[in-house]
Amino acid sequence: MKLLVIRNSKAGGADDDLRRAAVAALEAGADVRICEDPEDLGRVLGEHSDRVPVVMGGDGTLHALVAALADRGELESRPVGLVPMGTGNDLARAAGLPLDPSRAARVVLDGHVRPMDLLADDRGGIVINAVHLGVGALGSREAVPLKSLLRRAAYVVGAVIAGVRAPGWRLRVVADGGTLADGRRRVLLVGIGNGRSIGGGTPLTPDALLDDGLADVVVSFATGPLARLAFALRLRRGEHPDHADVRTCRAREITIAGEPVPVNADGEVGPEVTRRTWTVRHAAWRLLVPAPGRSDDSVTSRP
């Protein structure tokens, strides 16, 4: 087996000892080339076209790799390995990958290739785990300067800051032709989940699956001070979908439009948007996950 290991030394997450142990585990069973902080990921993939790309990092680095493979037209032909070493590792959690880097490295060596969905937007972008708009994205923006010091706790602190400041946004949200928000009532958060969680385990869309051809959508109208606090507590426990000020659905195409709103896609905060559409591409890329029947395998199709 020939591997191309892609590492992002600038990302927060695991320490050097864990990295070395994971690399050693990979080298014990494969021919490994390591690419550190590639500036042109597409070029690197082209130069090592005979190797399986493996991300040693978090959702942001994995997102960049999948996007590069999409640009090269190689999503279906090149499976992807993941050794989770980011701050949140939410895609790894949803896929049932071990969060211990050495164990995850062994999954790469003898894992099972599993087709995964992704979300494609109308501006050429993709999402592999989740995109959310509103207070969550604002919280992610506040967390960025804190990640090197607080790691996963930075998301909690950022969310608290954003929860105090966020006024809500007037947004229209349409999913497969059905209206979840009509733009007259302020929205605190819109979440579109291919995976289940964001921010290192917060269950934004707790019933979402990575391979069922649908995105789970959640819209919160909890914009009052006490309502925002109550929503935050329910969100941390995954109890928000059934509350009166939350609307949910599953859909293949989701459009938001309205006031400029911050957006976070796969943990990366982007510029504010006033309109955007996401469409599910079923079984668009392939990830190495634990083989069926193993205890780490939690990626299953919805009945």
Side-chain angles (χ1 to χ4, degrees):
M1 190 177 194
K2 300 173 71 174
L3 305 178
L4 173 66
V5 174
I6 299 160
R7 301 196 307 193
N8 181 2
S9 64
K10 301 179 182 67
D15 59 28
D16 289 341
D17 289 342
L18 292 176
R19 291 181 191 276
R20 283 192 291 268
V23 170
L26 292 174
E27 290 178 336
D31 176 0
V32 176
R33 291 282 181 88
I34 297 176
C35 180
E36 195 91 37
D37 302 323
E39 294 184 2
D40 187 344
L41 193 48
R43 177 184 57 78
V44 171
L45 290 169
E47 291 174 349
H48 301 281
S49 59
D50 60 337
R51 292 178 178 271
V52 174
V54 178
V55 165
M56 192 169 286
D59 290 353
T61 309
L62 181 62
H63 172 110
L65 172 59
V66 174
L69 289 172
D71 289 342
R72 291 179 54 80
E74 296 178 343
L75 281 181
E76 296 184 5
S77 62
R78 293 180 79 170
V80 173
L82 174 61
V83 178
M85 291 189 172
T87 306
N89 298 317
D90 289 289
L91 192 283
R93 297 169 191 273
L97 289 171
L99 297 184
D100 174 78
S102 295
R103 290 179 60 208
R106 290 192 288 272
V107 168
V108 171
L109 296 176
D110 60 10
H112 172 69
V113 175
R114 186 97 187 195
M116 297 288 180
D117 300 342
L118 60 75
L119 295 163
D121 71 36
D122 53 357
R123 299 295 180 88
I126 66 165
V127 176
I128 56 173
N129 180 57
V131 56
H132 53 101
L133 306 95
V135 70
L138 189 60
S140 298
R141 182 186 299 168
E142 299 289 349
V144 168
L146 305 172
K147 285 172 67 175
S148 61
L149 178 64
L150 300 178
R151 296 195 177 184
R152 281 181 58 193
Y155 293 115
V156 178
V157 176
V160 170
I161 296 171
V164 172
R165 296 179 179 176
W169 295 262
R170 297 192 186 279
L171 300 174
R172 179 175 174 81
V173 182
V174 177
D176 284 350
T179 301
L180 295 179
D182 61 11
R184 291 177 293 182
R185 186 179 176 189
R186 288 190 178 274
V187 167
L188 182 71
L189 174 145
V190 180
I192 306 170
N194 187 38
R196 302 184 186 105
S197 67
I198 60 173
T202 298
L204 177 66
T205 48
D207 296 321
L209 294 173
L210 293 168
D211 62 351
D212 65 346
L214 296 170
D216 282 34
V217 186
V218 56
V219 179
S220 171
F221 298 97
T223 56
L226 293 179
R228 281 181 288 178
L229 176 60
F231 174 75
L233 294 174
R234 293 193 301 269
L235 177 64
R236 293 297 295 177
R237 297 191 296 262
E239 298 172 353
H240 56 291
D242 297 325
H243 200 267
D245 58 10
V246 173
R247 297 195 66 186
T248 65
C249 74
R250 295 189 178 108
R252 291 181 174 84
E253 182 176 282
I254 304 95
T255 298
I256 68 96
E259 296 179 341
V261 60
V263 57
N264 180 310
D266 289 337
E268 300 297 318
V269 182
E272 293 184 340
V273 301
T274 57
R275 184 179 181 87
R276 190 62 48 88
T277 295
W278 290 270
T279 303
V280 177
R281 291 175 55 187
H282 181 49
W285 64 290
R286 301 190 298 161
L287 180 68
L288 294 169
V289 300
R294 297 196 178 184
S295 59
D296 287 315
D297 184 18
S298 66
V299 185
T300 57
S301 298
R302 186 179 284 113

